[in-house]
Each structure stands twice: as structure tokens, then as C-alpha cells.
Amino acid sequence: MLEILHRIVQEVNAASDLGEALGVIVRRVKQAIQTDVCSVYLTDFERREHVLLATEGLRPDAVGKVSLPMHRGLVGLVCERAEPINLDDATQHPRYLFIHATGETPYRGFLGVPIIQNRRVLGVLVVRQIESRKFDDDEVTFLFTLAAQLAGAITHARASGELNQIQDSRPPLNRYLSGQPSAPGVATGQVVVAYRLADLDAVPDRVTDDCEAEIATFKEAVQLTQKDLRGLKERLAAELPAEDQALFDALLLMLGSDTLVNQTVERIRQGQWAQGALRQTIEEHARVFDNMDDVYLRERASDIRDLGRRILMHLQMDGPRETVYPERTILVGEDVSAVQLAEVPTERLAGIVSATGSSSSHVAILARAMDVPAVMGVSDLLVGRLEGLDLIIDGYRGRVYVSPDSSVSDEYARLADEDNEIARQLEVMRGHKAETTDGVVMPLYLNTGLISDVMSVGLDESEGVGLHRTELLYMVRDRFPGEDVQVESYRQLLAEFAPRQVTLRTLDIGGDKPLPYFPFVESNPFLGWRGVRISLDHPEIFLTQIRAMMRANIGYNNLQIMLPMVSMVSELEELQSLIRRAQEELVEEGYGVIMPPVGVMIEVPSAVYQIDELARRVDFLSVGTNDLTQYLLAVDRNNPRVAEIYDDMHPVVLRALTQIVEGAALYRRPVSICGELGGNPLAAVLLLGIGVDSLSMSAGSLLKIRWVIRSFSRSRARGLLQRALRMTDARQVREMMESALDEMGLGGLIRPGK
Ligand code: PEP
Ligand code: MG
């Protein structure tokens, strides 16, 4: 059964359209289960009926014509219950309905399984038998699996308009494929499918008797790949900020690293041919990242595999093929890589759609840096059928329209015009202060440290850096970075922003951010060894970092040190004593270092409830709303299954923020917001109402937040906050803020168009 199932799934995937896919399913299922009839019904909730979409066994001319009323018959019952119904004699069931038009004789055996996608029943897959027959468990699961396959194909056909001829009463604007919004903006263009150049998985193990020749070929392939990557990097140099080009450096570094090359060479020496040795090494490295919880790090596995495929392509002596890119290219792929993106001439790249990946994928990060709309994780995308088709993507809402009809194209052309207008209006914000209409100034800072946080807009327009995440410096190496390497990196940043303030956060690993060379396994990592808990258990790591920060600050004096994940006062006191020790030692060694301001991040509930005790002991506070939300709502911030209930605009988060600001005020300590909430146009007004002293955000949000702040008064913000605090869920808060922004003509900051 498993073998047959596998083959049918392959055939369905290879089908060129839904009609063919349905044909394969009804034919092959009827054969495999040896039943008299197999049919597929499509549910139309608006017309309240189930339409016969395909059949093997009933009259073929009934397809598209025969429909069953919504809540009648057994097909209706499967749909209502959204679970299978398996009856040995259906004619005895009270819901049995006899239909003449299909050429039915009274069938007794009946098995119907729902076709479900995203909690919604799309239709019903049915098998029937003239004789009495109870289908066994294997047959039920067989049908289940195929129904899941069909669900994807139906969703795709609906979005592409393929289903229109049969029936689909939904207006065209409601027919789209959904994914994760990964880079804002809307785009129209033609699809170019990015496909895998070489299939690494398909490479077999093979013994070689000429190791030296294999090694030479391998090294040559590595050199050619290095050359390709350098070429791509150079081509993109003008488009991307230095931090984003670091991706290519990281790939080149990986290629040049002893680990990747030497391990492959070692495998060749043991008798494996170059291609097989490469596959084994790449898999070993990629698996390390595959197992990580953090989405950002997990995405690195696809970078490594992509690198492997590129080397393989040269090993197979099959040079890159010339692709013709239309003027407005939408790059679409199963797993679009950053390097594939780099291959598209930038002036032709209009948008990016990937069936896998997330907004943390490198390609999404690059898309944001290049200001190209992107939608990632579009799981219903049938990539193979899209080449050359017209596509519209909505990067605000994560929507993809396949072969849109003119009403959709016209609507999006209008939205794109309005977007351009908004972009022009945003430019006007340059050089202005984020000052409310009643004269309250809200300083805006930048979050840096993850690739692409620093863009040209941020450098001149911000008051400094409110959060620099230092983890990247530790992640791109194969060991902890030494003091001098860190001094160099921090000094560059301090110099770039001097005399403006730069807040460096101490290492915040553990939880969702393990280091590849510092592995540990925990059953509950978010409640485990993370942030300053590791720093306290490994003072040598912490002290090295503090020393580097203080040394980097010599001559600039614009450093602030920030401690993440502090959950109790005793931790803070111990950390402060280590910081003092580092300073004393440096002074003893002859460095002219000063004690910089030291602050804590408030990102766990216990810190909220001890806010005055913490505030008393530090120079400033900064709220990490990403973690604070996850701990207050008990929702993993990285888990897609619960992503819908993770919402940092929940009234509970707002109440906690109010309490933090009140506690800090007792000791006149400033409070900043450095989580994602700080860069959210919907939240900025509420944060203003709460009375936070500054906001820190990624560069892309800076001008938007400035515009929002300049459109409201502090008293209006307080009024909105009072209403929000009385609400019970995040949706209400969002709706209220959406209309508040709409009223001020700022709707274009949160959705396409004005
Ligand atoms: C936060 O938790 O809000 C925060 C800013 O830190 P990170 O996202 O790096 O955990
Ligand atoms: Mg955090």
C-alpha cells in the first residue's frame, strides 16, 4: 500500500493541472482499493453545495453538473463533521440520499474523507461499493493521505483561477495563496523559477581508486565556486549595505574554512569519490543547523546546502545555464536561496516568493535590505507550474495572486501607485524630529547586530543604537571570539555613531540561540540556561566581552552596556560586580577606561514585578517585548503552531509596560522599548501614551514611526492607551489602532495603498 501511495503522490505532483491530478487520484484509488466508484466533491460554502469534480465509476458527464445540497446526504455529513465516515451499508443510514443523475445504483459500502486545508473543509473524497463493505484502517489512512495531497492542489487551483470554469463564486481579490509577509510592498511581474542546479541528495556513494585526481577536481570546483560568489558579491556591492554583503563573506569563509574543505578531502582520502565526500560533509554541517530551534539559525542549513549544490555543479562540469530574466522578474522557488536571488540583475528583480523559509531566512533579510517585496513559506505553491506566469505579490499581508485577472491587476496597480506616493511622503520625514503635535519629543534609536539592521537611512536619522545584538559575532565563528576581535568590531560601531550613544547588549545565547561550538541540549530551553545565566556560570566569557566593550569605548565614551534576561536582583548584583572587576583590572593594566552606564533588559515577568528594585540599581532600562510577550502569554515566539496567539499588542503586555514605566519613574530611570513593538506603527502611539522615553527599532521602521509620532498628540495617545488597557484581547487593540491611524491618513504604513 505504501509503495502505491508513494507512486500516486508522485503522479499527482507531476500533474500539469488540477484536472489531471484529480483524474490520477480517482483512477488510481479505485484501482488500489478495488472499489466500484471513487469521486471527489468540491464544497462551495456560498452556494451551499458539494459539486462533483471528478469520478471514476459514475457517469463521466455528471462531472461539474451534479451537486449535492450542503447539509444533506452522507457527503454533507463528512463535511459537517470534518471527519471520515465509514459505513458497510450506507443505505441504512438516515442521511443516505439516492441520486439518479450520477447513474447511481444503490451503493452500500461507503467511505468518505474530508479534504481539509487550514482548518477549512474544501471537499470530500469518496469511495463506494455496490456490495456491503467496511473499509479497513489501512484504506482509511490511504484516503486520508491522498486527501491531504488534494487539498494543496485545490488551494493552488483556486488561487490560480484554474477552478473558475468548474465553479468558484469568490471574487478574484479573495483568491490567493498565503504565506509569511517577509518584506513589505506590492509587486507585479513574471515568474522565473529558481530551481536546484544540482541534486546533492541524488549523489551516490562511490569508491575511488585515484584519490589525488579526485582531490584536485574537488579543489578546482571549490575555487570556481569561490569565483562565482565573489562575482555575485561584487555585482551587488552597490545595492547592499556592508552588513548584508557579509552573507557572501560568510559563504566564502565557509568555503575557505579548513573544516569544509579538509573534511571532504579527508573523506576522499578514505576512498570516497569527490561528489560523495562532498555530499557527506555538507549534510553533516547542515544537520547541525537543522536541529536548532532558532529559525534564523535553522535557515543557515539551506545556505550550506546551496553552497554544496554549487560546488557539485562544478564537479559535474555543468556550468551555470543562462537564464532570461523578464523586466519585472518575480523569483519563485521551492527554497529560494540568497545566492539565487543575487543572480537576478537587481534592476529586474520585482519580487520574491518561496514555498519554504520564513521572514528570518537570509533571502527575506536581503529582500528587506533591497526593498523588494517578498512572501516566504507559501506552502501551497506548485512551483513547477509557475514558470512564465503573471504574479502579484502582497508583501504586507503575505499574499500571492497567480495569473490575476484584470480586476486584481488594476486594484494592485492602484495600490502600488499609492505605495510609491507614501514612500515619497516618508522621505519628507528625513531630518525632522519625532515630535508630537503638542511638543513631546520621542528619541528614536536603531537596533543593530542582525544583518541589514544598519542601512543608510538609520545611520543619519537615528539618535544612536538602542540595542546592538552581539550574538552574530559569536555565531559566524567556529569558536568564541577573542578580546581583540571583539574590540575591533565594537569600536567600528562606536566610531560610526559617535558622539551618539551605542547600547551594546552582552551575549544573549541559549534558549533559541545556541552556538554551534557550544552545544547543550535542554528539554525546555526557553526556561533554561540562557542570557546572563550563562554569563554568570562562565565569567570568563562575560569578562572578555565586557573588557572588549570598555576598551573599544576609549576615546569615544558613547558606550552603554545592557544585560539581557535578568530575572532576579542577585543576578544583577553579581554581574555588576564582574563589570566593576573588569574595569579595575583594565585600569591596572594601564587602559584609560571609564565605567559606562549599565542597564538591564526587562523581558521576564519577575523583572516587571521587581522593577523598582532593579531600577534603583541601574542607569537605564530597556524592555525586550519579544521575550516579555512570550513569557507573559506563555507562547513560544518561534513556534508556527501557536504563532496566531503570540501578539505583543495584547493588553496584558501594555499593562506590564505601564507598570515598568511607573516603577522606573520612582528612581527617574529612563525606559526604552527595544523589542519589535518599538518599530510597530500601530503600537508607537500607545507607547507614547505609556510614557516611555525612547524607542529602538530596525532601520526600515524609523521614518514610519517618526511620521506616526508627528501625527498624534501625547494627550490623544493617553486617551487611546486608557481604552486599550480596558480591552480584553489583542485584536480589539489592533482594530482600535488601525482606525486611529486610518483617521490620520496613515493606513498606508500598515497595509498596501493609502
Ligand atoms: C526582545 O526579547 O524583545 C529583544 C529585544 O531581544 P531578542 O529579540 O534578541 O531576544
Ligand atoms: Mg530578548
Side-chain angles (χ1 to χ4, degrees):
M1 205 71 148
L2 201 64
E3 177 59 23
I4 300 175
L5 185 64
H6 188 66
R7 250 186 285 132
I8 302 182
V9 168
Q10 276 181 335
E11 273 184 60
V12 169
N13 284 339
S16 60
D17 57 30
L18 179 66
E20 196 182 320
L22 287 168
V24 169
I25 288 203
V26 291
R27 216 172 36 250
R28 305 286 258 121
V29 168
K30 182 171 177 282
Q31 227 173 36
I33 300 194
Q34 295 194 343
T35 178
D36 298 319
V37 175
C38 177
S39 313
V40 176
Y41 291 86
L42 188 73
T43 305
D44 184 333
F45 284 91
E46 279 157 42
R47 293 191 190 148
R48 307 183 58 72
E49 61 189 16
H50 308 279
V51 186
L52 182 68
L53 206 58
T55 186
E56 186 75 17
L58 299 181
R59 277 169 41 189
D61 59 350
V63 169
K65 296 198 188 84
V66 166
S67 59
L68 310 172
M70 187 89 184
H71 292 297
R72 295 189 54 206
L74 289 167
V75 169
L77 194 61
V78 174
C79 173
E80 279 160 44
R81 291 194 183 162
E83 58 183 19
I85 292 181
N86 187 1
L87 301 169
D88 52 355
D89 188 356
T91 58
Q92 300 302 309
H93 195 280
R95 286 282 291 260
Y96 177 75
L97 197 66
F98 182 73
I99 309 227
H100 290 284
T102 50
E104 282 191 25
T105 44
Y107 291 96
R108 290 180 192 280
F110 174 98
L111 169 60
V113 300
I115 303 168
I116 299 180
Q117 184 88 332
N118 297 334
R119 300 186 186 186
R120 197 178 152 85
V121 179
L122 303 177
V124 180
L125 177 59
V126 182
V127 287
R128 318 184 80 175
Q129 190 85 22
I130 293 173
E131 305 301 325
S132 257
R133 172 173 176 183
K134 182 88 172 183
F135 293 92
D136 66 26
D137 269 2
D138 268 0
E139 289 161 340
V140 176
T141 50
F142 179 76
L143 239 61
F144 241 98
T145 314
L146 288 172
Q149 283 292 315
L150 255 184
I154 291 176
T155 309
H156 177 88
R158 209 163 227 169
S160 64
E162 213 181 290
L163 261 183
N164 289 6
Q165 306 94 321
I166 305 172
Q167 60 86 258
D168 195 353
S169 52
R170 291 183 309 157
L173 267 170
N174 284 337
R175 282 187 228 124
Y176 51 78
L177 298 168
S178 294
Q180 260 198 33
S182 302
V186 294
T188 309
Q190 264 184 326
V191 173
V192 171
V193 173
Y195 56 92
R196 292 175 172 213
L197 296 169
D199 191 354
L200 203 58
D201 294 337
V203 171
D205 286 338
R206 197 172 282 168
V207 179
T208 176
D209 47 13
D210 190 352
C211 296
E212 290 315 315
E214 287 291 309
I215 290 171
T217 326
F218 169 66
K219 288 196 167 163
E220 193 188 337
V222 168
Q223 274 170 12
L224 289 168
T225 310
Q226 279 169 328
K227 199 170 140 226
D228 293 346
L229 288 175
R230 274 195 211 102
L232 288 171
K233 184 186 162 198
E234 267 165 37
R235 238 192 44 211
L236 277 183
E239 309 286 333
L240 290 176
E243 284 203 37
D244 284 342
Q245 290 171 44
L247 160 65
F248 293 94
D249 294 330
L251 292 177
L252 283 163
L253 202 76
M254 237 185 271
L255 265 182
S257 81
D258 290 349
T259 14
L260 204 132
V261 175
N262 288 358
Q263 281 179 7
T264 309
V265 168
E266 189 46 41
R267 287 192 161 105
I268 300 175
R269 282 201 203 291
Q270 283 166 12
Q272 184 64 247
W273 69 319
Q275 296 187 26
L278 173 71
R279 192 203 73 231
Q280 291 171 3
T281 309
I282 292 289
E283 254 326 293
E284 188 183 308
H285 284 258
R287 261 202 306 270
V288 175
F289 286 94
D290 274 340
N291 292 332
M292 291 183 174
D293 287 332
D294 178 54
V295 269
Y296 179 81
L297 289 179
R298 231 174 15 234
E299 294 298 344
R300 303 295 76 78
S302 47
D303 290 337
I304 293 172
R305 292 198 174 95
D306 185 62
L307 198 62
R309 286 194 288 271
R310 279 166 196 281
I311 304 172
L312 182 65
M313 191 182 69
H314 285 295
L315 276 178
Q316 293 174 338
M317 288 193 292
D318 183 11
R321 259 150 282 180
E322 276 299 313
T323 309
V324 180
Y325 294 101
E327 222 157 275
R328 295 190 56 74
T329 297
I330 306 236
L331 191 67
V332 176
E334 204 55 59
D335 181 13
V336 178
S337 76
V339 181
Q340 283 170 335
L341 179 151
E343 282 171 340
V344 186
T346 32
E347 67 285 1
R348 289 180 177 243
L349 183 64
I352 298 153
V353 181
S354 181
T356 55
S358 68
S359 57
S360 308
S361 308
H362 256 142
V363 72
I365 293 169
L366 284 178
R368 290 196 289 272
M370 295 165 80
D371 208 13
V372 173
V375 181
M376 307 289 293
V378 189
S379 49
D380 300 319
L381 203 66
L382 296 181
V383 176
R385 295 199 204 147
L386 295 178
E387 182 79 29
L389 294 187
D390 289 332
L391 220 65
I392 290 180
I393 70 174
D394 179 341
Y396 294 98
R397 295 182 287 199
R399 294 180 180 177
V400 178
Y401 295 84
V402 184
S403 301
D405 66 17
S406 58
S407 63
V408 182
S409 309
D410 293 349
E411 173 64 5
Y412 269 92
R414 189 181 66 72
L415 294 174
D417 282 348
E418 291 186 6
D419 258 15
N420 291 338
E421 173 59 26
I422 287 166
R424 271 195 297 280
Q425 281 173 278
L426 267 183
E427 284 302 304
V428 176
M429 290 292 133
R430 280 184 194 267
H432 288 287
K433 276 193 184 148
E435 183 174 359
T436 61
T437 53
D438 48 358
V440 179
V441 175
M442 173 73 86
L444 305 184
Y445 289 82
L446 274 186
N447 287 351
T448 61
L450 288 183
I451 291 178
S452 117
D453 288 332
V454 178
M455 286 196 289
S456 48
V457 62
L459 278 180
D460 310 331
E461 296 292 327
S462 69
E463 301 291 331
V465 175
L467 161 66
H468 178 75
R469 293 176 166 99
T470 54
E471 292 78 45
L472 206 65
L473 190 69
Y474 290 71
M475 284 173 181
V476 296
R477 292 187 158 63
D478 55 5
R479 70 199 71 171
F480 283 100
E483 188 173 312
D484 290 343
V485 170
Q486 293 191 53
V487 172
E488 182 62 29
S489 160
Y490 304 147
R491 206 168 165 72
Q492 256 180 25
L493 191 70
L494 291 167
E496 204 154 45
F497 282 87
R500 289 169 294 166
Q501 227 167 43
V502 172
T503 307
L504 298 183
R505 178 175 77 180
T506 59
L507 187 61
D508 186 17
I509 51 162
D512 58 337
K513 297 178 213 131
L515 295 176
Y517 49 87
F518 190 56
F520 52 90
V521 177
E522 294 177 305
S523 57
N524 217 339
F526 274 115
L527 302 180
W529 207 37
R530 59 170 303 201
V532 292
R533 296 172 186 174
I534 297 183
S535 302
L536 284 169
D537 291 346
H538 278 280
E540 76 288 6
I541 300 173
F542 183 71
L543 284 168
T544 307
Q545 188 175 33
I546 297 293
R547 283 173 58 94
M549 288 178 177
M550 288 186 180
R551 279 178 55 199
N553 193 31
I554 296 172
Y556 297 118
N557 294 345
N558 57 342
L559 165 73
Q560 297 203 112
I561 294 179
M562 184 155 80
L563 306 165
M565 283 298 298
V566 170
S567 59
M568 51 192 86
V569 172
S570 58
E571 281 174 343
L572 172 62
E573 289 178 335
E574 283 178 62
L575 292 161
Q576 284 174 317
S577 100
L578 285 173
I579 295 174
R580 276 193 299 275
R581 192 175 117 194
Q583 194 228 355
E584 283 160 14
E585 282 172 9
L586 283 167
V587 171
E588 270 171 32
E589 290 167 34
Y591 290 104
V593 296
I594 54 157
M595 179 59 92
V598 175
V600 279
M601 286 187 75
I602 305 298
E603 47 186 351
V604 287
S606 64
V608 178
Y609 291 112
Q610 298 191 81
I611 193 66
D612 45 350
E613 289 299 332
L614 292 170
R616 189 155 75 80
R617 291 170 167 80
V618 294
D619 299 302
F620 65 93
L621 301 161
S622 188
V623 190
T625 49
N626 307 340
D627 274 316
L628 187 58
T629 304
Q630 104 163 324
Y631 291 121
L632 279 177
L633 301 182
V635 183
D636 179 347
R637 57 191 262 192
N638 292 322
N639 183 344
R641 283 203 202 100
V642 287
E644 287 207 1
I645 50 173
Y646 175 96
D647 198 325
D648 54 5
M649 288 189 71
H650 197 288
V652 159
V653 178
L654 300 177
R655 282 186 210 172
L657 292 175
T658 311
Q659 209 167 325
I660 293 167
V661 169
E662 283 168 4
L666 296 176
Y667 298 92
R668 295 180 188 281
R669 300 294 190 257
V671 178
S672 165
I673 305 289
C674 66
E676 289 307 304
L677 196 66
N680 178 348
L682 285 177
V685 181
L686 297 172
L687 298 174
L688 179 72
I690 290 173
V692 302
D693 297 278
S694 62
L695 302 176
S696 192
M697 64 203 69
S698 54
S701 302
L702 217 108
L703 296 180
K704 294 180 185 169
I705 299 297
R706 185 175 288 170
W707 195 3
V708 174
I709 301 280
R710 288 176 68 83
S711 306
F712 283 82
S713 66
R714 168 91 142 233
S715 55
R716 170 102 202 273
R718 284 187 174 141
L720 287 165
L721 174 71
Q722 287 317 315
R723 282 176 59 197
L725 289 173
R726 285 194 295 271
M727 291 174 169
T728 48
D729 64 53
R731 188 183 43 80
Q732 295 167 320
V733 179
R734 283 184 182 275
E735 282 172 7
M736 176 184 74
M737 290 313 301
E738 276 168 18
S739 27
L741 258 59
D742 278 335
E743 243 174 70
M744 305 309 291
L746 299 173
L749 298 181
I750 47 171
R751 67 175 83 88
K754 279 189 182 170

